[in-house]
Amino acid sequence: DPSMTSIPISVFSQNAAQYVAHAVNSQDVINVTTEKGSAILLSEEEFRGMVETIYLLNSEGMAERVEEARRTPIEESDDFAW
């Protein structure tokens, strides 16, 4: 799981390039807080991974297959050849 850094918008705005580089080069998610709420900064790679996960879990039957696989002991799983 990625970690999360929380910072106020005033700190983010002074060091935006540094925080963007940090998000791109790590799995850290940055929570930028304001008086009206928060916004999340994460790398494109993290975002694309989340979108793919959501897509797969919304595919018909996929969530059930994932849950079934999670319950299956590794000793009982089929070998997978790349």
Side-chain angles (χ1 to χ4, degrees):
D1 293 336
S3 60
M4 184 179 296
T5 299
S6 186
I7 57 168
I9 187 74
S10 59
V11 173
F12 177 79
S13 65
Q14 294 172 3
N15 302 294
Q18 176 186 352
Y19 284 110
V20 170
H22 179 74
V24 168
N25 296 319
S26 69
Q27 291 185 334
D28 198 11
V29 176
I30 300 169
N31 179 25
V32 182
T33 60
T34 72
E35 291 180 10
K36 294 184 178 184
S38 298
I40 300 296
L41 173 68
L42 65 152
S43 70
E44 180 181 4
E45 182 179 355
E46 287 291 321
F47 175 76
R48 288 180 182 272
M50 289 172 49
V51 169
E52 182 175 359
T53 299
I54 292 166
Y55 170 78
L56 290 173
L57 291 177
N58 282 309
S59 298
E60 187 173 330
M62 182 60 76
E64 292 82 11
R65 290 193 297 266
V66 169
E67 186 56 35
E68 180 181 339
R70 288 183 57 201
R71 289 191 308 264
T72 303
I74 192 76
E75 301 81 27
E76 296 177 19
S77 64
D78 295 331
D79 288 334
F80 182 79
W82 293 96

